[in-house]
Amino acid sequence: MEKKILTEQSLYIGDVSMPKNFEINRKELAHYILHCKLTGEKYPHSRTQDMLKAYISENFNLKYKQKLIYKETWGDIYKPLQITPPISNVDPVDLRHSPDYTMLYGVEVEDCIVRIYYDDNRRKGRSWDIPLENNKFIIFPSSNTYYITNNQKDSLNFVQTTTYDHTGR
Amino acid sequence: MVILNNTRNKRFNLTINSLININEGKQMAHFAKINEENIVLTVVVIADSDTVNPAQNEDESVGQIYCENVLNWPRHLWIQTSYNTKANKHYTNNVLSEDQSKAFRGNNASIGNTWDVENEIFWPQRPYTSWVKDVSTASWVSPAGVKPDLTAEQAAAFSYYAWNESGQSWDLITS
C-alpha cells in the first residue's frame, strides 16, 4: 500500500529570535500601524520590517526548503473585546494574484486568539485556535479563512499581516 | 547621479553594483550570513570595493561592517566565504588552480551549512550519521574510507558505489 500526499494544510508557528541588539522594534511597527490607520497612508517600508521579512523567509527556506516570496504587508488594530468578521486574503475572482501564505505577527498584543478554519475531508468548517503573542508569528495558507479576537477589555491589539507566494528552493 | 542613502536603496545599490561588477569582470566578495547556532542562512555577494580598508587592502571586517549596515544583521555573524573553494581545494573556472594557497575556509558556504569556528571551515550537511569530519579535506568521510574506484567494465555497465549505512560499507550497484 502506498500513500501519496496531494496537498496539505500546514501551520507554522514560532518566535522571531533575533541576535542581541538587533531585536525587532515592535514599538516602531505599532507606531507605523497607528499612523497608517489615522492618516490612511500606505504601510511604510522600514528597516525593522526588512529585518522581519528576512528572518521569516530565510528561516523558512532553511527549515522547510521552500521560498516565501514577499507580496504585501499591512497592519491592523483591534479594539478591546473586538471579534473580526471572517477574513480571507484570497480573492476568489483573482486567484492568480492572490497569495499562497499569510503571516500574522504579534506587534503589541495581549490575550489575542487567531481562529483558523479548515476542511477535513467531508468534515467542513473545522477550526483551530492559536494564541498570538508578542513577537510571535503564525503562517498559514491564505485560502484558510480566519478571524482574530481581542479577548481582553483594557488595551488595543496591534497585528501585522504579511502575504507571500511560495515556491520550492 | 542619484544619491541612494536609505536602506532600501542601499540594498538596490548592492544588487546593481554586483551586476556592474559582473559586466566589468571585477572580483566580488561573498559573505555567508549565519545564525547564532552557526548555521548558514543565506549568502550575499558584494563588491570587492566594499571590503577594502583605508590602506586599500581587502579586509573581511570592512565587509562585515558593510553587511551589518546594509542588511541589518550583526557583523560577527557575517563570514566571508570563497565561491571557488570546494573540499579545501581552489578552482579557477572549475579547473584546479595552480596556487592552492587561495583555498579559503574549506568549502563555498551555502544555505544549511555549518560554520566551524575552531577549524574555520564551512561544513555541508553530514550525509550519513556514521560519517566523520576530515579537516584536511574539509569533507565528510565514511568509516570505510573513500568510495572505491570503478573498473572500466563496471563504468561501462553504468554501475556505481552507494553507501550502505546499515552495513557500513560501499555497495556496488549494478543496473
Side-chain angles (χ1 to χ4, degrees):
Chain A
M1 190 183 289
E2 276 185 33
K3 180 182 178 184
K4 188 83 182 166
I5 298 174
L6 302 178
T7 183
E8 62 176 22
Q9 295 178 57
S10 309
L11 311 180
Y12 305 90
I13 302 155
D15 295 307
V16 178
S17 174
M18 299 290 282
K20 199 177 170 207
N21 299 324
F22 283 77
E23 293 88 354
I24 298 298
N25 186 346
R26 291 185 290 111
K27 281 200 178 359
E28 183 190 290
L29 294 179
H31 167 80
Y32 286 140
I33 293 171
L34 185 60
H35 178 79
C36 292
K37 288 292 167 195
L38 292 174
T39 63
E41 287 176 16
K42 201 167 175 237
Y43 196 59
H45 181 87
S46 65
R47 176 179 181 268
T48 303
Q49 205 203 112
D50 213 27
M51 291 162 69
L52 182 58
K53 273 164 57 183
Y55 180 90
I56 296 293
S57 60
E58 286 166 0
N59 281 280
F60 199 84
N61 189 13
L62 177 69
K63 200 154 188 181
Y64 304 108
K65 295 181 172 48
Q66 290 183 354
K67 276 185 180 161
L68 290 177
I69 301 160
Y70 173 81
K71 278 182 87 80
E72 200 181 352
T73 294
W74 65 91
D76 288 299
I77 302 171
Y78 301 107
K79 290 180 278 188
L81 300 176
Q82 181 180 351
I83 303 172
T84 68
I87 305 165
S88 172
N89 294 318
V90 166
D91 181 349
V93 294
D94 189 10
L95 294 174
R96 187 175 174 182
H97 295 106
S98 294
D100 285 313
Y101 280 103
T102 296
M103 180 190 75
L104 301 176
Y105 174 72
V107 176
E108 203 60 59
V109 291
E110 195 183 335
D111 209 353
C112 180
I113 303 292
V114 179
R115 173 166 288 184
I116 298 171
Y117 285 96
Y118 65 99
D119 292 339
D120 177 15
N121 206 338
R122 66 187 170 86
R123 289 164 283 274
K124 309 291 181 193
R126 290 200 158 194
S127 65
W128 188 263
D129 287 359
I130 305 167
L132 183 62
E133 294 164 13
N134 285 334
N135 201 37
K136 191 172 177 176
F137 66 85
I138 303 167
I139 300 173
F140 54 93
S142 294
S143 54
N144 290 79
T145 302
Y146 63 101
Y147 68 77
I148 297 173
T149 308
N150 182 353
N151 273 333
Q152 43 80 43
K153 54 184 180 182
D154 298 318
S155 57
L156 299 169
N157 276 344
F158 291 75
V159 176
Q160 180 180 291
T161 307
T162 305
T163 55
Y164 296 94
D165 281 342
H166 105 285
T167 175
R169 185 186 278 181
Chain B
M1 183 180 165
V2 180
I3 298 169
L4 305 169
N5 57 6
N6 68 26
T7 307
R8 191 179 197 181
N9 287 338
K10 275 183 184 170
R11 202 170 203 183
F12 175 74
N13 228 359
L14 182 139
T15 311
I16 293 298
N17 282 341
S18 302
L19 291 173
I20 290 168
N21 287 328
I22 289 167
N23 289 336
E24 294 180 357
K26 287 184 182 173
Q27 293 295 307
M28 292 170 292
H30 294 68
F31 279 78
K33 177 182 182 179
I34 61 169
N35 62 18
E36 288 176 314
E37 289 78 47
N38 293 326
I39 307 296
V40 176
L41 294 168
T42 192
V43 179
V44 299
V45 186
I46 64 174
D48 260 0
S49 55
D50 294 319
T51 67
V52 170
N53 63 21
Q56 294 304 305
N57 296 318
E58 203 179 308
D59 184 340
E60 182 179 14
S61 65
V62 175
Q64 288 174 318
I65 293 167
Y66 179 83
C67 288
E68 176 181 296
N69 291 337
V70 176
L71 298 168
N72 307 313
W73 194 253
R75 63 189 69 174
H76 70 279
L77 298 177
W78 290 102
I79 310 293
Q80 193 164 7
T81 181
S82 163
Y83 182 76
N84 296 311
T85 300
K86 190 182 175 190
N88 228 4
K89 289 194 165 61
H90 189 271
Y91 294 82
T92 306
N93 297 327
N94 294 324
V95 177
L96 201 62
S97 306
E98 281 184 25
D99 181 7
Q100 282 300 315
S101 67
K102 291 181 188 170
F104 187 58
R105 295 180 169 165
N107 293 290
N108 175 32
S110 62
I111 294 169
N113 285 182
T114 303
W115 169 239
D116 177 347
V117 180
E118 192 184 331
N119 296 306
E120 295 218 339
I121 288 173
F122 285 102
W123 291 99
Q125 282 164 321
R126 187 197 299 256
Y128 298 96
T129 49
S130 65
W131 288 34
V132 293
K133 287 176 180 173
D134 179 4
V135 173
S136 64
T137 61
S139 51
W140 295 97
V141 291
S142 76
V146 294
K147 190 189 291 190
D149 290 330
L150 292 169
T151 63
E153 293 78 31
Q154 289 167 342
F158 300 106
S159 302
Y160 61 95
Y161 280 102
W163 178 249
N164 178 342
E165 179 68 0
S166 56
Q168 297 284 291
S169 63
W170 289 104
D171 292 353
L172 184 67
I173 312 292
T174 48
S175 50

